[in-house]
Amino acid sequence: MFNQEVYVSRRAELKKLVKSGLIVIFGNNESPCNYPNNGYYPFRQDSSFLYYFGQRRDGLVGVIDIDNDREILIGDDIDIEDIVWYGSVDSVSDLAAQVGIANTAPMKDLTNIVKGRQVHFLPPYRFDTKIQIMDLLGIHPDQQKAAASEELIKAVVKMRQCKSDIEIAEIEKACAIGYQMHTHAIRLTRPGVSEKYIGGQVDGMAHSLGEHESFATIFTQHGEIMHGNPSYRLLEEGRLALCDAGAENAENYCSDNTRTFPVNGKFTQRQLEIYSIVEACHDYALEVAKPGVLWYDVHMNVCRLMTDKLKEIGLMKGDTEEAVQAGAHAMFLPHGLGHMMGMDVHDMEGLGQNYVGFDDEIQPSTQFGTNALRCGKRLQEGFVMTDEPGIYFIPALIDDWRAQGLHKDFINYELLETYKDFGGIRIEDDILITKDGCRFLGEERIPYHPKDIEAFMAQSV
């Protein structure tokens, strides 16, 4: 937890941005597996609750009464039976005092507190919270996303999108754990080892050095599957392994990196050809990302660069601009260049991507591939972004587009057929937008240049 003044000042700023009414920010409850006392899923507090109220205990709700300049932490003290099993914890009044709140109330009082008031709440994403909102406000769960306060959403996004120095320091700590996770995966990779084993080792590193992984670890020889969770397959000679993993540190800030490397430690010439294109696109983003630049433009220029280079090896053809405008490049890059990152690995995504990654100037595209770009708006100093271009050879997509005759003027389907067993390549790093450019986050760089990867793997044998 940060010092008390951080949370006091954040709530004070929020009260200036939301002019009147009652702000209610729901903390999370436990999420057991199979039966109530099986705490299999680790507790994770809601990020906006953490940002303004700081406390990690379950069963809490934060209330900011703007009209009466009053703040209340709502929650029930635990009973003696819980203490027997889980140990003593601070009282709700103690928790409130730690973050500069003078008033507390039990959960049963929340109904009277919100009664007859203008209530601002954020879009809920857990079913128990949706039920609580229905009980409190009479809004059916199907209608709660639409009923969420746009004024509050915009205020939260405005405050959370530019990271403070203390937040950047925490992300750097998460990146340090991410470095250990990825280098451990590279060291373990060799033919005959299972994806599941390496994925489990990566997760263990996150749990032992921080809170846990920031999302479900991806480790697979089938890099063409965007979210390819580890299977029981054994790693094979001649294949590429893709590891997309990140850590969440003790203060719940995240990292997110991807590396792709040869299972046997040596790239083939064909793998190097594709890898070098992804590498060039990754490095291009680092050169041009700075305040005032539309992230959408960075993404589209990466798509143009990728198209030019795919034309050089014969996989694409025709006019580059026409190909990109038509969306032909999405055969190879069906996702966006990157997303915001912070306390959530896809930062604030639950608040609505049209508010978080876009704004009045630019809204999301509906075109296949580009519609998966999670951020398009102008960069600001303090934004933390992922830079993650990739090239993928997805057999089902190849067959589907070819059968429809899509983009046949831009895609060389005959040559593309020979790449169906290739897999996919992605390189991803976390970058901070600075005053006049950007920089990597994390002091140690996970190897990503081909020679560095091969040298690292040779030393690990």
Side-chain angles (χ1 to χ4, degrees):
M1 184 189 297
F2 299 128
N3 67 56
Q4 183 185 102
E5 283 305 311
V6 170
Y7 304 103
V8 171
S9 63
R10 285 173 176 176
R11 293 192 301 270
E13 178 65 20
L14 188 61
K15 282 186 278 191
K16 294 177 184 176
L17 295 173
V18 181
K19 304 301 182 185
S20 63
L22 203 69
I23 296 171
V24 179
I25 298 181
F26 294 87
N28 284 335
N29 299 307
E30 293 283 3
S31 297
C33 178
N34 301 330
Y35 55 88
N37 287 331
N38 186 5
Y40 174 82
Y41 299 112
F43 175 72
R44 172 54 154 89
Q45 186 61 280
D46 175 79
S47 293
S48 290
F49 186 92
L50 276 174
Y51 189 82
Y52 294 105
F53 295 93
Q55 297 293 356
R56 288 169 174 76
R57 212 205 81 176
D58 63 305
L60 299 174
V61 176
V63 174
I64 302 173
D65 187 341
I66 301 168
D67 302 330
N68 298 301
D69 193 23
R70 185 168 178 250
E71 300 171 350
I72 313 167
L73 186 65
I74 309 289
D76 297 327
D77 289 328
I78 69 169
D79 59 27
I80 191 64
E81 289 192 17
D82 284 331
I83 291 173
V84 168
W85 290 101
Y86 302 111
S88 296
V89 297
D90 290 339
S91 68
V92 174
S93 60
D94 287 338
L95 296 175
Q98 290 164 14
V99 292
I101 296 175
N103 305 290
T104 64
M107 193 62 70
K108 65 181 178 60
D109 288 1
L110 184 56
T111 301
N112 289 329
I113 289 170
V114 304
K115 188 175 182 179
R117 300 293 304 277
Q118 176 193 15
V119 176
H120 300 274
F121 64 89
L122 298 171
Y125 53 92
R126 290 195 174 194
F127 292 111
D128 52 346
T129 305
K130 291 181 180 182
I131 292 169
Q132 189 173 13
I133 291 172
M134 184 168 65
D135 289 343
L136 287 170
L137 305 176
I139 304 171
H140 191 276
D142 287 347
Q143 300 170 344
Q144 289 173 13
K145 183 177 180 181
S149 169
E150 183 175 16
E151 187 178 5
L152 178 58
I153 291 169
K154 288 183 175 180
V156 171
V157 171
K158 181 179 175 66
M159 290 185 65
R160 286 181 59 189
Q161 66 183 356
C162 293
K163 305 301 183 287
S164 66
D165 289 344
I166 59 173
E167 291 182 286
I168 293 165
E170 295 301 326
I171 296 172
E172 296 269 22
K173 293 175 186 176
C175 289
I177 301 171
Y179 173 86
Q180 296 294 334
M181 294 165 71
H182 278 271
T183 52
H184 190 49
I186 297 171
R187 288 189 188 99
L188 291 173
T189 295
R190 61 180 59 86
V193 180
S194 74
E195 295 176 2
K196 192 78 170 176
Y197 177 78
I198 297 177
Q201 292 287 310
V202 168
D203 288 352
M205 189 69 73
H207 284 255
S208 62
L209 298 177
E211 278 292 292
H212 44 71
E213 62 272 29
S214 55
F215 57 95
T217 294
I218 297 165
F219 187 88
T220 179
Q221 295 173 101
H222 285 276
E224 77 279 6
I225 301 172
M226 299 299 112
H227 290 169
N229 298 127
S231 73
Y232 289 98
R233 298 185 195 95
L234 300 183
L235 299 180
E236 300 171 10
E237 185 85 23
R239 300 284 301 185
L240 293 169
L242 185 149
C243 182
D244 186 345
E248 188 168 307
N249 82 328
E251 289 296 332
N252 300 108
Y253 284 85
C254 298
S255 69
D256 183 5
N257 295 94
T258 307
R259 291 295 185 264
T260 310
F261 38 90
V263 169
N264 65 3
K266 282 285 186 181
F267 288 99
T268 67
Q269 185 56 40
R270 189 170 77 151
Q271 289 168 350
L272 275 174
E273 285 180 348
I274 302 300
Y275 191 98
S276 66
I277 298 174
V278 180
E279 179 187 19
C281 292
H282 169 276
D283 291 353
Y284 170 81
L286 293 170
E287 294 172 8
V288 301
K290 62 181 179 180
V293 172
L294 280 170
W295 188 248
Y296 174 87
D297 288 342
V298 181
H299 168 82
M300 295 308 294
N301 284 333
V302 162
C303 295
R304 293 181 181 97
L305 175 61
M306 181 179 295
T307 299
D308 281 339
K309 290 186 173 295
L310 286 170
K311 283 165 59 178
E312 290 175 7
I313 61 174
L315 282 166
M316 293 192 73
K317 57 186 178 179
D319 182 79
T320 294
E321 188 62 28
E322 289 179 7
V324 171
Q325 291 302 317
H329 65 280
M331 166 62 77
F332 304 94
L333 179 59
H335 64 73
L337 177 63
H339 51 81
M340 286 185 162
M341 194 187 71
M343 200 176 289
D344 306 321
V345 69
H346 287 181
D347 210 21
M348 302 176 285
E349 195 163 290
L351 301 183
Q353 209 56 49
N354 55 318
Y355 299 113
V356 177
F358 297 86
D359 53 23
D360 292 340
E361 179 182 11
I362 184 168
Q363 281 292 295
S365 170
T366 58
Q367 185 187 70
F368 175 80
T370 311
N371 63 356
L373 179 63
R374 290 184 165 96
C375 179
K377 65 185 179 184
R378 292 192 185 278
L379 300 172
Q380 297 181 42
E381 184 178 358
F383 278 19
V384 173
M385 305 294 300
T386 63
D387 169 20
E388 51 177 308
I391 292 178
Y392 312 90
F393 298 91
I394 307 169
L397 186 64
I398 295 169
D399 291 343
D400 182 64
W401 281 24
R402 189 173 192 181
Q404 295 183 61
L406 287 179
H407 306 306
K408 59 185 179 182
D409 293 335
F410 305 118
I411 297 172
N412 182 349
Y413 282 105
E414 292 299 323
L415 182 58
L416 187 55
E417 281 288 327
T418 68
Y419 281 78
K420 278 185 172 181
D421 63 347
F422 186 95
I425 293 172
R426 181 164 64 254
I427 307 171
E428 177 183 16
D429 281 298
D430 306 325
I431 60 173
L432 170 68
I433 305 303
T434 59
K435 183 178 180 180
D436 52 9
C438 69
R439 69 169 178 86
F440 280 116
L441 285 165
E443 290 186 10
E444 295 184 278
R445 188 70 41 242
I446 306 164
Y448 78 92
H449 296 303
K451 288 183 179 178
D452 295 337
I453 290 173
E454 291 181 345
F456 190 91
M457 295 186 79
Q459 293 168 5
S460 303
V461 175

